[in-house]
Amino acid sequence: MYVCCAVDVVNTGEKHRAIKLSREDAKDTSALYKEVWLDAYEYPKEWREKRAMRKDEIKKEIDSGYFFFGVRINGKLVGVYKASITERGCFGEQQAVLPEYRDQGVASAMYEQFYEFARANKCKVNYVNILAGNEPCERAMEKYNFYKTGEPWEQSKGMLVQTYERKVDS
């Protein structure tokens, strides 16, 4: 799960809930991804463009077994992430929160739901890749009890990532 500057430093006390998104949510998901990922300048340009998915790409991924989850506030999709079940466990990626909704518990809701999704699917771990050295991401990993696994690796030319995981209770 890429934590694209979506760390909850301050929680306003509101409790949000992440829900499973469907093909019908692809337009909103695409719009959110474009707004967040195209401005994520800490990532290489080609990586940002790849993550700013079109609605047809999102629908194709849903059809091929990926799950998208999001948080809506007053009907507006303000946070989203993508998950898949692998042999290793539950993999999360492409987390994005609209800038004006950061620090309001949106990322927390997604991390809580990510854990519950893994548990419901009998996964032993949640795991994510984050941009190596990204302090907000590293704080999120600590806050949600993730730990480093292995060494940083190059996921895209010039882009080092660190894999983190956390145990999921059965």
Side-chain angles (χ1 to χ4, degrees):
M1 178 181 304
Y2 278 95
V3 184
C4 187
C5 306
V7 178
D8 294 310
V9 178
V10 177
N11 191 327
T12 62
E14 293 182 47
K15 183 72 172 169
H16 303 297
R17 203 172 122 251
I19 58 168
K20 184 177 174 188
L21 301 175
S22 69
R23 291 173 53 87
E24 288 73 36
D25 298 301
K27 181 180 177 184
D28 291 346
T29 303
S30 175
L32 187 149
Y33 274 151
K34 285 180 179 156
E35 184 172 340
V36 173
W37 280 102
L38 292 177
D39 289 339
Y41 296 112
E42 61 273 27
Y43 296 90
K45 184 177 191 280
E46 65 276 358
W47 188 259
R48 290 184 279 127
E49 290 172 351
K50 181 179 172 184
R51 292 301 188 224
M53 299 171 72
R54 297 182 321 269
K55 66 181 177 179
D56 62 306
E57 293 174 308
I58 293 165
K59 288 178 180 180
K60 184 177 179 180
E61 292 214 347
I62 289 170
D63 292 345
S64 68
Y66 286 94
F67 301 88
F68 287 80
F69 297 94
V71 174
R72 288 188 179 275
I73 297 177
N74 298 324
K76 180 178 183 176
L77 187 64
V78 301
V80 69
Y81 83 93
K82 181 172 88 172
S84 57
I85 304 299
T86 69
E87 288 183 20
R88 180 176 179 177
C90 183
F91 178 60
E93 61 183 322
Q94 284 183 256
Q95 185 185 53
V97 176
L98 291 175
E100 64 271 27
Y101 289 92
R102 293 184 184 148
D103 301 330
Q104 296 181 35
V106 174
S108 290
M110 290 190 283
Y111 276 109
E112 291 168 14
Q113 189 279 333
F114 181 45
Y115 182 86
E116 293 304 321
F117 180 68
R119 190 162 72 171
N121 283 281
K122 299 182 181 1
C123 296
K124 294 187 186 324
V125 298
N126 276 141
Y127 68 105
V128 300
N129 297 320
I130 67 163
L131 193 61
N134 183 303
E135 290 179 21
C137 292
E138 290 170 353
R139 284 194 305 271
M141 295 298 93
E142 183 177 338
K143 178 178 180 178
Y144 297 104
N145 300 313
F146 284 82
Y147 51 88
K148 288 181 183 181
T149 61
E151 295 298 319
W153 53 283
E154 191 172 58
Q155 188 170 28
S156 183
K157 187 172 172 33
M159 185 177 93
L160 287 179
V161 298
Q162 175 68 55
T163 302
Y164 284 79
E165 70 178 32
R166 66 177 168 185
K167 300 283 186 219
V168 175
D169 299 328
S170 48

PDB file of all heavy atoms in Angstrom, residues 6 28 96 144 154 163:
ATOM      1  N   ALA A   6      -0.576  10.268   3.300  1.00  0.00           N
ATOM      2  CA  ALA A   6      -1.916  10.121   3.861  1.00  0.00           C
ATOM      3  C   ALA A   6      -1.884   9.709   5.323  1.00  0.00           C
ATOM      4  O   ALA A   6      -2.740   9.007   5.793  1.00  0.00           O
ATOM      5  CB  ALA A   6      -2.693   9.101   3.052  1.00  0.00           C
ATOM      6  N   ASP A  28     -15.224   7.669  -9.779  1.00  0.00           N
ATOM      7  CA  ASP A  28     -14.780   8.421  -8.601  1.00  0.00           C
ATOM      8  C   ASP A  28     -13.373   8.006  -8.179  1.00  0.00           C
ATOM      9  O   ASP A  28     -12.561   8.847  -7.790  1.00  0.00           O
ATOM     10  CB  ASP A  28     -15.734   8.196  -7.425  1.00  0.00           C
ATOM     11  CG  ASP A  28     -17.097   8.830  -7.627  1.00  0.00           C
ATOM     12  OD1 ASP A  28     -17.254   9.661  -8.548  1.00  0.00           O
ATOM     13  OD2 ASP A  28     -18.018   8.483  -6.861  1.00  0.00           O
ATOM     14  N   ALA A  96      -4.439   6.426  -1.368  1.00  0.00           N
ATOM     15  CA  ALA A  96      -4.472   7.851  -1.672  1.00  0.00           C
ATOM     16  C   ALA A  96      -5.606   8.497  -0.885  1.00  0.00           C
ATOM     17  O   ALA A  96      -6.686   7.932  -0.773  1.00  0.00           O
ATOM     18  CB  ALA A  96      -4.685   8.067  -3.172  1.00  0.00           C
ATOM     19  N   TYR A 144       0.802   1.556  12.840  1.00  0.00           N
ATOM     20  CA  TYR A 144      -0.075   0.418  12.556  1.00  0.00           C
ATOM     21  C   TYR A 144       0.628  -0.932  12.725  1.00  0.00           C
ATOM     22  O   TYR A 144       0.159  -1.941  12.217  1.00  0.00           O
ATOM     23  CB  TYR A 144      -0.709   0.573  11.172  1.00  0.00           C
ATOM     24  CG  TYR A 144      -1.573   1.800  11.134  1.00  0.00           C
ATOM     25  CD1 TYR A 144      -1.145   2.954  10.493  1.00  0.00           C
ATOM     26  CD2 TYR A 144      -2.778   1.842  11.813  1.00  0.00           C
ATOM     27  CE1 TYR A 144      -1.921   4.101  10.499  1.00  0.00           C
ATOM     28  CE2 TYR A 144      -3.549   2.987  11.829  1.00  0.00           C
ATOM     29  CZ  TYR A 144      -3.110   4.111  11.170  1.00  0.00           C
ATOM     30  OH  TYR A 144      -3.870   5.249  11.194  1.00  0.00           O
ATOM     31  N   GLU A 154      14.607  -1.793  -5.669  1.00  0.00           N
ATOM     32  CA  GLU A 154      14.205  -0.858  -6.719  1.00  0.00           C
ATOM     33  C   GLU A 154      12.961  -1.378  -7.432  1.00  0.00           C
ATOM     34  O   GLU A 154      13.018  -2.337  -8.192  1.00  0.00           O
ATOM     35  CB  GLU A 154      15.355  -0.659  -7.711  1.00  0.00           C
ATOM     36  CG  GLU A 154      15.124   0.474  -8.673  1.00  0.00           C
ATOM     37  CD  GLU A 154      16.339   0.775  -9.525  1.00  0.00           C
ATOM     38  OE1 GLU A 154      16.805  -0.149 -10.233  1.00  0.00           O
ATOM     39  OE2 GLU A 154      16.805   1.922  -9.487  1.00  0.00           O
ATOM     40  N   THR A 163       9.644  -3.079   1.894  1.00  0.00           N
ATOM     41  CA  THR A 163       8.469  -3.885   2.190  1.00  0.00           C
ATOM     42  C   THR A 163       8.296  -3.956   3.700  1.00  0.00           C
ATOM     43  O   THR A 163       9.268  -4.138   4.436  1.00  0.00           O
ATOM     44  CB  THR A 163       8.613  -5.305   1.601  1.00  0.00           C
ATOM     45  OG1 THR A 163       8.806  -5.185   0.185  1.00  0.00           O
ATOM     46  CG2 THR A 163       7.374  -6.153   1.878  1.00  0.00           C
TER      47      THR A 163
END
